[in-house]
Amino acid sequence: MTIQLETPSRRGKPPRHLADLSAAERREVVTGVGQPGYRADQLSRHYFGRFTGSPADMTDLPAAVRDRLTTLLLPALLTEQRALTCDDNATRKTVWRLFDGALVESVLMRYPDRVTVCVSSQAGCGMACPFCATGQAGLTRNLSTAEIVDQVVAAARACVAGELAGGPARLSNVVFMGMGEPLANYDALLHAVRRLTTPVPDGLGLAQRHITVSTVGLVPAMRRLVAERLQVTLAVSLHAPDDELRDTLVPINTRWNVAEVLDTAWEFASTTGRRISIEYALIRDVNDQPERAHLLAQLLRGRLAHVNLIPLNPTPGSKWTASRPQSEATFVRILRAAGVSTTVRDTRGREIDAACGQLAASTRPDKPAKATAGSSQR
Ligand code: SAH
């Protein structure tokens, strides 16, 4: 399996959507068809504020222009292919079909104090980490800004409609921990973060602090993110404290090693004041030895960091499995004894293949792109 940093060439672009455009660009599109510019704000308010793109809901717009404007600015981007729930309906995975037939997944999780959606930034992934199901099929393509944002809007809509256990809720958190390497699709990711955090009507108005961007450690893109000075959480998928092992678990480590990745993470921490989340999947007899816990502690001691240990989730064809409870407990104890803040992630969605590393919807586009609008999830 080779690493793919560049996206393979693709047949066409996803249809243009208002979430791809700035407020000025949206107005231009609307005035371009002879409508007053404020109609763009009306559409945005429906989409970002009420999570709808359906002409029938837009009673403040003249009936005659609704279809026209929604076709222009709110084309259907995601069609629900399948939805699976578990945890008594507190966790729901949705498989979305994109305009070209590529499939991506997002996972919505309700907790006592928050509702989080885990979204995909690419169809497939080029990073080829051997323990992750998404990495096994390779990269199909980058998602557009709007294809990312629309996953969040769909989640917000499901929340207010009371589709999750516990009744109507507000979506509060977004984690870029679904399919793909978000920093390999930097521009779309960044625009998506802006759309998610700009107040209504130009965005969803979520708090920057409630957004987490997770990366394998693409150092140049991490540096760009530092320069944006966003108050998001940066998660680094480390999985090993030493280059020898990390080269095999996270192959891009051969390009940017542990020291470079962590140095850049500390730059992010010192620039933003935000604690770095260190992701570490515990794999039995692979990376869970006490020596590695000590080595990890040495790297993180005194740093603005928190370790998230993730018991390895099973993936098809992998010989690896989660650590024994005893090794996990020892690993946690060593880190904490060194003063490194550490928790073990309560993994959601294992039984519906929705947990970390299990998102594997076959991502290949089917036949040449069909018409883009048409059936929609709305
Ligand atoms: N490409 C980014 C975003 C994906 S986040 C990244 O790697 O950070 C998904 C998280 O789940 C990553 O930390 C990833 O390493 C972890 N993961 C992948 N496969 C896993 C598995 N089988 N069990 C537990 N965690 C896994």
Side-chain angles (χ1 to χ4, degrees), residues 125 127 129 131-133 176-182 214-216 235-239 279-281 310-315 345 356-358:
C125 184
M127 296 299 111
C129 304
F131 56 91
C132 176
F176 285 88
M177 293 190 174
M179 293 176 151
E181 166 52 42
S214 185
T215 182
V216 289
V236 173
S237 294
L238 198 66
H239 307 308
E279 313 293 297
Y280 199 107
I310 317 166
L312 187 83
N313 292 307
T315 58
R345 183 178 289 173
C356 308
Q358 294 185 315

Side-chain angles (χ1 to χ4, degrees), residues 2-292:
T2 50
I3 302 168
Q4 299 163 273
L5 270 176
E6 305 300 329
T7 187
S9 65
R10 54 189 166 104
R11 280 189 283 269
K13 286 190 169 186
R16 177 192 61 194
H17 185 281
L18 66 77
D20 292 312
L21 305 176
S22 68
E25 290 167 334
R26 283 176 223 153
R27 282 170 162 258
E28 241 170 68
V29 172
V30 167
T31 54
V33 295
Q35 285 294 313
Y38 63 81
R39 299 254 179 261
D41 291 346
Q42 289 177 304
L43 286 179
S44 304
R45 220 170 270 283
H46 284 295
Y47 183 68
F48 289 121
R50 299 176 57 217
F51 319 126
T52 180
S54 170
D57 293 332
M58 303 186 181
T59 49
D60 58 337
L61 280 120
V65 300
R66 284 182 214 167
D67 285 340
R68 186 154 184 219
L69 291 183
T70 49
T71 307
L72 266 181
L73 280 171
L74 290 165
L77 296 175
L78 309 177
T79 306
E80 185 175 311
Q81 171 96 353
R82 219 146 77 92
L84 297 162
T85 63
C86 65
D87 302 324
D88 289 328
N89 203 27
T91 302
R92 176 163 95 172
K93 173 172 95 167
T94 309
V95 183
W96 300 110
R97 174 174 289 269
L98 308 181
F99 87 104
D100 58 355
L103 300 177
V104 296
E105 303 183 338
S106 33
V107 185
L108 187 54
M109 294 160 281
R110 183 164 197 171
Y111 297 93
D113 60 332
R114 65 187 191 280
V115 186
T116 300
V117 66
C118 174
V119 296
S120 297
S121 55
Q122 299 181 311
C125 184
M127 296 299 111
C129 304
F131 56 91
C132 176
T134 311
Q136 303 318 299
L139 176 63
T140 300
R141 69 168 171 89
N142 281 331
L143 300 196
S144 66
T145 298
E147 285 173 327
I148 297 171
V149 171
D150 208 37
Q151 293 172 64
V152 180
V153 170
R157 181 190 309 130
C159 286
V160 294
E163 291 175 22
L164 286 183
R170 286 209 75 84
L171 180 77
S172 55
N173 292 58
V174 177
V175 297
F176 285 88
M177 293 190 174
M179 293 176 151
E181 166 52 42
L183 294 189
N185 184 14
Y186 190 87
D187 291 340
L189 167 83
L190 203 80
H191 283 120
V193 171
R194 299 266 184 223
R195 287 281 73 77
L196 299 182
T197 56
T198 303
V200 179
D202 291 326
L204 276 176
L206 297 171
Q208 287 184 10
R209 294 168 171 267
H210 289 177
I211 303 221
T212 298
V213 176
S214 185
T215 182
V216 289
L218 303 185
V219 166
M222 287 169 76
R223 293 214 177 97
R224 285 178 74 184
L225 194 64
V226 171
E228 313 281 353
R229 295 177 176 266
L230 288 168
Q231 286 291 307
V232 298
T233 298
L234 179 65
V236 173
S237 294
L238 198 66
H239 307 308
D242 54 305
D243 287 320
E244 193 185 349
L245 179 59
R246 195 169 191 267
D247 280 350
T248 67
L249 294 181
V250 184
I252 199 74
N253 193 70
T254 55
R255 183 102 50 116
W256 295 290
N257 65 23
V258 171
E260 291 171 286
V261 169
L262 289 181
D263 279 349
T264 316
W266 309 144
E267 273 173 45
F268 183 89
S270 61
T271 307
T272 60
R274 310 273 305 147
R275 193 167 78 159
I276 304 296
S277 184
I278 301 288
E279 313 293 297
Y280 199 107
L282 281 173
I283 314 175
R284 183 180 296 189
D285 298 330
V286 173
N287 65 354
D288 62 354
Q289 308 83 351
E291 311 86 82
R292 287 210 158 83

